Amino acid sequence: MNQKKWSGIISGYAIIYTVVTLLNSVLYLINGIYEDPSGNWHELDRAVILFIGTAAFALCTKLPVKSLIWRYVIAYVPSMLFVFAFVWFCGLREELAQTAYRDIWINFTGLFVLLCGISTVINVHSKLRD
């Protein structure tokens, strides 16, 4: 991968991490929670999970599979399993919320689907332009 591609991946990672962290903070404040109950571990865990998703998404763009849908599925399934394993290991460090697996599935899948949608629109638009 060239430097421009790496810069794009790192920038995307930083932007998504910032937006997700700000959204999380706003939602906590709206619900009257003025401090993150999980503290700094939660921030580090979010960074690792986002890294897993970003890496999976970046890799799926390079898969030699013609169908975009299959490329996304091939990237999503192992990365989601890896995220579930990471959450399980986090449970060894501290007790997980009862909804931890559901929450991570919803958040990870939602963000992955959003990125796939954006990527698909860009891909279709570039093909129409050519």
Side-chain angles (χ1 to χ4, degrees), residues 39-110:
N40 293 325
W41 279 115
H42 189 240
E43 299 301 323
L44 294 173
D45 293 343
R46 179 184 299 127
V48 170
I49 289 168
L50 185 57
F51 176 78
I52 293 167
T54 304
F57 192 78
L59 291 173
C60 88
T61 62
K62 299 295 181 202
L63 289 174
V65 176
K66 200 168 199 167
S67 167
L68 272 178
I69 303 273
W70 277 113
R71 254 192 270 168
Y72 295 152
V73 169
I74 291 168
Y76 172 79
V77 171
S79 62
M80 186 75 251
L81 293 173
F82 192 49
V83 167
F84 280 148
F86 179 77
V87 170
W88 183 83
F89 279 111
C90 290
L92 298 176
R93 181 184 65 227
E94 62 188 0
E95 186 176 345
L96 297 174
Q98 286 185 343
T99 59
Y101 292 101
R102 184 199 68 190
D103 293 346
I104 196 63
W105 180 76
I106 290 169
N107 290 316
F108 187 86
T109 302

Side-chain angles (χ1 to χ4, degrees), residues 4 8 12-13 18-19 38 56 64 75-76 104 106 117 121:
K4 187 176 180 181
Y13 173 84
T18 301
V19 168
S38 301
Y76 172 79
I104 196 63
I106 290 169
V121 168

